[in-house]
Amino acid sequence: MTHNTHSELVGLIWNIANKLRGPYRPPQYRKVMIPMIVLRRLDCVLEENHEKVLKKYEQLKEDGKLNEEAIDKMLAKVASTNRKHPLFNKSKYTFRKLLADPDNIARNLVDYIHGFSPKAKEIFQKFKFEEEIEKLDEVNRLYMIVKEFANPEDGVPINLHPDRISNLQMGYVFEELVRKFNEQANEEAGDHFTPREVIRLMASLIYTDEEDVYKSGIIRSIYDPTCGTGGMLSVSEEHIRAENMNANLLLYGQEYNDESYAICCSDLLIKDEPLDHIIHGDTLGDGKTFDGHPDKKFHYMMANPPFGVEWKPQKDTVNAEHDTHGFSGRFGPGLPRINDGALLFLLHMISKMYPSPELGGDGSKIAVVFNGSPLFTGDAASGESNIRRWIIENDMLDAVVALPNQLFYNTGIFTYIWLVTNKKPAQRKGKIQLIDATKHYRKMDKSLGDKRNLMSDDHIKEITRLYGENGHDAVSQFLCEGKPEEKIASKIFDNRDFGYLKMVVERPLRLNFFVNDERIAKLKDENAFLALAESKKRKSQADIEKEVAEGKALQQSIIVMLEGMKSDELIMDRAIFLKSLKAASKAAGLKLEAPVQKAIVSALSEKDQIAEICYDSKGKPEPDADLRDTELVPLPDYITLPLPIDYDKKAKNDRLLLLVEDHCEAYLKKEVLPHVPDAWIDHKKTKVGYEIPLNRHFYEYVPPRDLDLIEQDIEKVENEILGMLKDLNVS
């Protein structure tokens, strides 16, 4: 059967899946249909030489001279003389032959799966398909489903041979089916795959100006730490081979989801790629599985890590590596908040980079998809900010591309491609390019989940052109929803433009004092005052009662003392009030401990901005925490990166202040003091932050409509309403 589009094939397979309805609910179809598709595709590949394999297998068993491993190697050569990695089936069954024995189809199908070469057999173990075979047989659906694939009533079997359905087409089929299955289950399809046009854009960007990858015979490794069904690896390979069929490409990946891992491995198996390069497990490390390529480096890396997803399962492993290994591990710069671990995957990939050309290595390049959070989430010196700081100050962030919204199947939000590398060409060193591609899309004829927009080949070419030409204020001409548009879509910035100083601005504490009944009553609620009548002794009841009685007596004495201080005068200077309090307590024969004196000051005072400044024991103004503010100050133009301050939370900023203190004071004088003349900077609290405010840089002011036009619209609507009301009255 020839299928003109992958959509036709998806529709055909979906119709078969609907025959499961009853024993299976639609969200459960995937448990059967995904492994059945893989099984049928393998069957199509092996069918041609199956009889030769069987004959050779019987001959080798009869000879009895070789062990199973040696037999497998011999069978692999018979199944295909051109393959590097074995793929064969030594059972006596094919899809067609299974239909000849309906009563034993379950047992025979299991035997068929067990007859595959080891790696193919492992794929079906990850699918846990034998459990489904047993269930299908119990509900009398197994024979029907196999027949629909191999010999349907119209007599035309589904042909999934790679000669008919390319690996790229097969990827689209899996993508569409997984989306449909996930829609039924209300799951997030984005956990499993990235839209192919996004991957093609990532590949187009990452391989721009990469001349070496197009040299005949070149060896290059490509890695995806969250490889899902393998889409990024497949599209990368396709992109390079379109220009260089003689490239030796080594594909590596890791995936924690059993089903996605199995799909990815089946794709690589059919393409004759090594499966041991794809590791099953958690890339960050969940305590049971870990980084599957701990000592490997890669030339190119692409990923769409889960965004907005908590990393609690990996917390212990990640924290231990951060605390123990620091920058010699993967997570030296810092850790993001627990509710979004996307930046951890970028740090993981950076740790896989080859040394830069300056250090004698090949260098590496990364393309990763994020939501907006990694651009700006996190305060100065936070984990996210420090990660951005480390990447930017080490000149690894090459470009950020803002994509249109509603591109992904499971979310309508805007997403961004980060390009990160340690081998920037000379013209890009010390610079970061921002590209606004948010309008480079067309509407889809039919929405797929949350995906309503699509980037065409022309959009991808235009975005790639902007990146390759690397122009500041570069204008882009494109079609958006079929309409021609023109706008500035590329800007170039210095690395330091994304850094800032967060300085704490203090203002002095000013208090007035008034000794009256109302404020004296407030003292009775102060903790330090209440504590005077609480016993701290535990020896005997008599001691406790004595201490409490003494405390109450002291409380009463303090109240009496304050009663004697009552006055109609509002004291505007704390130093004068404290002098009066000291004289009164001395006259009353009372020794006021510091906590009690502080409680009296708190009860009898109110903040008053026309009162005198309160000074500490060293003669310096005391700050008012309620008036404390922060200012974000751009890094000075003269400063060079990296900045002289460590990445830990308690990092001292002494060396940094030598460079920026005057800059901060100049900012205070210009921007703050004209409004609040008594303000000052607490320089010890100055921190460094980094953010990438891409939207702000491309913001375009749209003036409001003329008031006359708005009034005309309102009048028009009013007339329409009056007309509708008139019609109602007539009826």
Side-chain angles (χ1 to χ4, degrees):
M1 174 177 287
T2 301
H3 311 288
N4 294 325
T5 67
H6 75 273
S7 296
E8 291 178 11
L9 181 56
V10 167
L12 184 64
I13 293 172
W14 188 256
N15 288 336
I16 297 174
N18 277 326
K19 296 182 185 299
L20 296 170
R21 188 180 294 272
Y24 286 84
R25 293 180 295 106
Q28 298 172 318
Y29 291 172
R30 63 186 301 154
K31 295 181 179 181
V32 174
M33 298 309 296
I34 297 296
M36 280 297 294
I37 295 167
V38 172
L39 195 60
R40 178 57 180 158
R41 189 160 168 84
L42 293 177
D43 184 75
C44 292
V45 170
L46 298 175
E47 190 173 24
E48 180 181 357
N49 290 325
H50 184 250
E51 291 299 327
K52 294 179 182 178
V53 172
L54 273 185
K55 185 176 179 180
K56 185 67 174 179
Y57 182 49
E58 293 301 326
Q59 176 191 332
L60 293 172
K61 279 207 307 182
E62 188 175 331
D63 290 345
K65 296 178 180 179
L66 300 176
N67 59 26
E68 283 296 315
E69 184 177 348
I71 290 175
D72 285 353
K73 290 181 180 179
M74 295 290 289
L75 295 180
K77 293 179 180 179
V78 175
S80 175
T81 57
N82 299 321
R83 288 186 62 87
K84 298 177 184 177
H85 307 285
L87 174 60
F88 59 85
N89 190 297
K90 58 190 178 185
S91 82
K92 63 181 180 180
Y93 299 104
T94 64
F95 259 55
R96 295 179 192 273
K97 292 179 180 179
L98 286 168
L99 298 177
D101 187 5
D103 294 338
N104 295 302
I105 191 168
R107 184 182 66 191
N108 295 342
L109 182 54
V110 170
D111 184 64
Y112 176 49
I113 291 172
H114 287 177
F116 277 110
S117 44
K119 284 295 183 180
K121 196 188 309 182
E122 180 189 347
I123 289 171
F124 293 98
Q125 290 172 350
K126 292 299 181 186
F127 279 130
K128 300 179 177 64
F129 191 43
E130 288 188 31
E131 298 174 16
E132 303 309 319
I133 292 173
E134 182 179 350
K135 179 177 178 180
L136 286 166
D137 192 44
E138 287 177 358
V139 298
N140 199 29
R141 292 289 199 283
L142 182 59
Y143 182 84
M144 180 194 304
I145 296 300
V146 174
K147 181 176 174 62
E148 287 292 332
F149 275 93
N151 189 23
E153 292 181 3
D154 61 9
V156 183
I158 295 179
N159 189 346
L160 299 181
H161 194 285
D163 291 343
R164 292 290 187 91
I165 306 295
S166 70
N167 289 304
L168 181 63
Q169 281 182 289
M170 205 68 227
Y172 282 119
V173 170
F174 279 125
E175 179 177 302
E176 178 75 355
L177 285 170
V178 170
R179 183 196 63 78
K180 287 174 74 72
F181 291 138
N182 284 345
E183 271 189 355
Q184 297 293 325
N186 292 321
E187 293 181 5
E188 293 190 350
D191 284 348
H192 298 272
F193 51 78
T194 309
R196 290 295 164 121
E197 80 267 23
V198 174
I199 302 176
R200 286 191 286 112
L201 174 60
M202 294 171 72
S204 185
L205 293 171
I206 200 172
Y207 300 119
T208 293
D209 295 329
E210 291 294 297
E211 296 178 2
D212 286 348
V213 82
Y214 299 112
K215 293 179 180 177
S216 180
I218 192 74
I219 299 174
R220 284 295 178 262
S221 54
I222 305 169
Y223 171 62
D224 182 350
T226 58
C227 64
T229 58
M232 291 196 177
L233 298 175
S234 296
V235 174
S236 270
E237 183 180 36
E238 174 201 359
H239 184 92
I240 294 171
R241 292 204 186 283
E243 301 292 332
N244 182 11
M245 283 299 297
N246 296 319
N248 294 306
L249 303 179
L250 305 175
L251 307 182
Y252 293 83
Q254 185 158 347
E255 174 58 33
Y256 74 96
N257 178 274
D258 288 345
E259 181 184 79
S260 298
Y261 170 80
I263 294 173
C264 180
C265 287
S266 66
D267 180 53
L268 294 177
L269 183 66
I270 290 168
K271 291 192 296 185
D272 199 18
E273 302 280 0
L275 297 193
D276 53 0
H277 289 179
I278 307 299
I279 305 300
H280 182 259
D282 192 298
T283 302
L284 300 179
D286 58 8
K288 294 182 179 179
T289 58
F290 302 90
D291 174 14
H293 303 284
D295 302 316
K296 291 288 295 181
K297 304 294 182 184
F298 305 101
H299 294 99
Y300 303 103
M301 290 170 263
M302 298 171 68
N304 174 18
F307 30 77
V309 176
E310 288 187 343
W311 50 281
K312 282 184 180 178
Q314 300 85 13
K315 184 175 184 292
D316 291 343
T317 301
V318 171
N319 282 353
E321 182 171 342
H322 172 70
D323 296 340
T324 304
H325 298 290
F327 282 92
S328 63
R330 294 178 291 173
F331 310 117
L335 303 177
R337 293 168 303 160
I338 198 69
N339 61 356
D340 190 349
L343 280 169
L344 293 175
F345 288 94
L346 178 54
L347 290 178
H348 166 83
M349 288 190 284
I350 291 174
S351 75
K352 303 290 185 186
M353 281 181 163
Y354 278 107
S356 66
E358 289 83 355
L359 297 177
D362 289 332
S364 299
K365 198 169 182 181
I366 295 168
V368 59
V369 181
F370 286 144
N371 64 3
S373 179
L375 291 171
F376 49 77
T377 299
D379 199 3
S382 68
E384 292 95 340
S385 178
N386 277 345
I387 293 170
R388 290 189 290 267
R389 177 190 155 206
W390 182 72
I391 292 170
I392 292 173
E393 289 191 357
N394 285 280
D395 200 20
M396 288 188 284
L397 184 57
D398 184 21
V400 178
V401 181
L403 302 178
N405 66 347
Q406 299 180 336
L407 275 186
F408 284 73
Y409 301 96
N410 66 322
T411 178
I413 64 174
F414 286 99
T415 50
Y416 304 81
I417 296 173
W418 289 34
L419 294 170
V420 177
T421 184
N422 61 354
K423 55 173 186 175
K424 286 185 181 181
Q427 70 273 19
R428 302 184 81 101
K429 287 187 181 296
K431 307 286 185 180
I432 296 171
Q433 182 180 14
L434 302 183
I435 297 175
D436 178 13
T438 53
K439 291 191 175 182
H440 290 65
Y441 70 91
R442 65 174 175 82
K443 284 291 181 185
M444 297 176 64
D445 296 333
K446 181 182 177 182
S447 298
L448 298 175
D450 288 318
K451 182 174 175 60
R452 297 175 177 84
N453 296 329
L454 179 74
M455 286 188 296
S456 68
D457 290 343
D458 287 339
H459 289 130
I460 292 173
K461 289 177 183 177
E462 176 63 7
I463 297 166
T464 305
R465 180 193 70 80
L466 289 168
Y467 171 69
E469 294 181 0
N470 192 37
H472 181 59
D473 283 345
V475 174
S476 177
Q477 295 178 334
F478 55 94
L479 293 178
C480 179
E481 298 188 25
K483 299 177 182 178
E485 291 212 16
E486 180 177 309
K487 66 183 298 257
I488 291 175
S490 171
K491 292 178 179 286
I492 310 297
F493 297 91
D494 291 330
N495 288 346
R496 67 169 170 266
D497 291 337
F498 300 97
Y500 63 88
L501 301 166
K502 182 181 179 180
M503 65 183 196
V504 176
V505 177
E506 302 281 16
R507 292 180 62 192
L509 179 66
R510 298 172 185 267
L511 299 173
N512 70 41
F513 293 83
F514 195 27
V515 188
N516 62 4
D517 292 336
E518 181 182 350
R519 295 196 185 184
I520 292 173
K522 287 170 57 181
L523 176 62
K524 297 176 182 179
D525 294 325
E526 292 283 339
N527 289 333
F529 184 79
L530 293 171
L532 292 174
E534 296 174 358
S535 173
K536 301 176 183 62
K537 296 180 180 179
R538 295 292 181 266
K539 291 183 179 180
S540 68
Q541 185 62 31
D543 289 338
I544 293 173
E545 291 176 356
K546 181 181 178 183
E547 187 177 9
V548 169
E550 290 174 350
K552 288 183 176 180
L554 179 55
Q555 287 178 331
Q556 185 59 36
S557 297
I558 292 172
I559 296 297
V560 171
M561 176 195 69
L562 294 177
E563 291 282 349
M565 292 179 63
K566 285 199 293 189
S567 168
D568 293 334
E569 180 186 0
L570 186 65
I571 301 173
M572 303 296 284
D573 190 331
R574 187 178 66 178
I576 294 174
F577 171 76
L578 289 177
K579 187 175 181 181
S580 299
L581 180 62
K582 182 178 180 181
S585 61
K586 184 176 181 181
L590 298 175
K591 183 178 181 181
L592 301 178
E593 300 291 341
V596 177
Q597 180 171 303
K598 186 176 180 181
I600 294 172
V601 169
S602 174
L604 301 185
S605 66
E606 286 184 353
K607 291 185 177 180
D608 186 340
Q609 288 308 301
I610 63 172
E612 295 296 323
I613 294 173
C614 298
Y615 293 92
D616 62 19
S617 59
K618 296 181 180 179
K620 295 183 178 180
E622 288 186 22
D624 184 342
D626 291 337
L627 298 178
R628 182 173 294 143
D629 201 0
T630 57
E631 293 283 337
L632 305 184
V633 183
L635 293 177
D637 292 340
Y638 57 77
I639 206 162
T640 57
L641 303 179
L643 299 176
I645 182 171
D646 293 333
Y647 287 85
D648 59 275
K649 293 179 180 178
K650 298 181 180 179
K652 294 183 178 180
N653 63 2
D654 306 52
R655 291 180 298 154
L656 177 68
L657 289 179
L658 293 175
L659 300 176
V660 302
E661 188 168 338
D662 290 344
H663 175 69
C664 292
E665 288 292 344
Y667 180 93
L668 180 79
K669 183 177 180 180
K670 180 180 178 182
E671 302 292 342
V672 180
L673 294 184
H675 309 288
V676 280
D678 56 1
W680 75 92
I681 303 170
D682 187 344
H683 288 290
K684 290 184 179 180
K685 295 179 181 177
T686 297
K687 297 178 180 179
V688 173
Y690 275 79
E691 64 177 6
I692 306 167
L694 189 147
N695 293 337
R696 186 199 311 162
H697 289 302
F698 288 99
Y699 172 75
E700 295 179 352
Y701 174 72
V702 179
R705 290 196 304 153
D706 188 83
L707 286 176
D708 291 338
L709 295 175
I710 296 173
E711 287 178 1
Q712 290 174 18
D713 285 349
I714 293 173
E715 185 177 347
K716 181 181 177 182
V717 172
E718 288 176 344
N719 290 333
E720 289 175 355
I721 294 172
L722 289 172
M724 293 166 62
L725 291 173
K726 183 178 180 181
D727 292 341
L728 287 173
N729 291 332
V730 170
S731 62

